Structures are given as C-alpha cells and as structure tokens.
Amino acid sequence: MSQATLGDDDELFGEAASEMREDVESSLEEAWNALPEADDVWETDAENVLGVLNALKSALDAGDAEEHLRDAKKWYTMGQRADAFEDADDLEAEIESLEEAIADISEAGEQVGDLTATIPSLRGTLEDAGPADEDDETAAADEDDDEIDEAASEDEEAEAEE
C-alpha cells in the first residue's frame, strides 16, 4: 500500500468516527425528546382517582425513547470497539443517565399499573366493610316484617279456604 492510501484510510476513519459520534448524539437527543414531559405526569383533568391513575399510566410511557437509546448504545458500542472515539466519557455518562430515567419511568408505570388494578377492588371492599347503617338495618327489618306479615296473611287465607 502506498502512503497516500494509508492517509486516505485515516481520513476516512476519522470521518466515520465523527459520523458515528453524531449518530450516538442524535439518537440520545431523540431518546430524551421521546420521554414524557414533566407536566404530563404531574397535571391531570381526571375526576376520580382511577381516572388520575389511568392518565398517569398513559403518561408514564417511555415510548420510542427505549428504541432510540438502543440505537445510541449500538453506535456507541461500535465506536468503542473500533476505538473510534477520542473521548467518549460524556456519551457513556449520558447513556447511563438516560437508562436510569427510562428505568425510573418504567418502574413508576408498573407501580401505577398495580394501583390501577387495586383501587376498584379496594373501593368495593370499603363499600361493603363495617357494620350496616341504621337506615339499612331498619329497612332490612321492615322488609323482614313485611315478609312475615305476607306469610301470615297467606296462611290465614289458606286456613279460611279449608
């Protein structure tokens, strides 16, 4: 190989390394942009707890961020193995930070999903719990009295017919 060819190879490698870094940075930026907005997980228009939880669960979707992170890690790994980056500590730190953010969002989404599944049954349990209200007891006693009166009337009618 001639010296000119080696020089060209180094130049091409430098361009490729630069493009690889740009790809990593671009994928990281897209991943950050794909994360939910802070206000989306903080504010809601729901009228009850279940509505709030459902809205929050929807807001806690990392969406395409995971795919963009995967692309960034792919190009980062390729660049690292090729020793293409002069200094990639900033990229590594940003990838780790993004991974943590996505993990936090995912964990929060799972917790909200658990609450969303629990709240309706908890509401039913609380509605059924405790002693009956006096009004409920009085109504039940009145119904029992009415049933007894009806049964007695039916018995009297049956005896009168005999």
Side-chain angles (χ1 to χ4, degrees), residues 116-151:
T116 302
T118 303
I119 293 297
S121 65
L122 178 60
R123 180 181 182 204
T125 299
L126 292 172
E127 287 175 341
D128 296 341
D133 286 343
E134 279 187 31
D135 293 339
D136 291 345
E137 288 178 14
T138 304
D142 289 345
E143 286 178 23
D144 288 345
D145 290 343
D146 290 344
E147 289 175 13
I148 292 170
D149 290 343
E150 283 179 31

Side-chain angles (χ1 to χ4, degrees), residues 52-156:
V52 168
L53 290 173
N54 283 328
L56 182 56
K57 186 166 173 26
S58 294
L60 290 172
D61 180 14
D64 294 334
E66 291 173 328
E67 189 62 34
H68 294 301
L69 174 61
R70 180 174 168 73
D71 286 343
K73 288 172 73 172
K74 177 176 57 177
W75 290 114
Y76 174 79
T77 302
M78 181 76 88
Q80 284 294 93
R81 288 190 180 163
D83 200 23
F85 303 133
E86 289 180 24
D87 181 24
D89 290 343
D90 61 326
L91 295 177
E92 184 176 357
E94 189 171 355
I95 287 171
E96 288 174 7
S97 179
L98 184 56
E99 284 177 322
E100 290 173 10
I102 290 173
D104 289 349
I105 291 167
S106 178
E107 183 179 335
E110 289 174 16
Q111 291 172 353
V112 170
D114 291 345
L115 274 174
T116 302
T118 303
I119 293 297
S121 65
L122 178 60
R123 180 181 182 204
T125 299
L126 292 172
E127 287 175 341
D128 296 341
D133 286 343
E134 279 187 31
D135 293 339
D136 291 345
E137 288 178 14
T138 304
D142 289 345
E143 286 178 23
D144 288 345
D145 290 343
D146 290 344
E147 289 175 13
I148 292 170
D149 290 343
E150 283 179 31
S153 295
E154 290 174 7
D155 287 344
E156 289 173 5

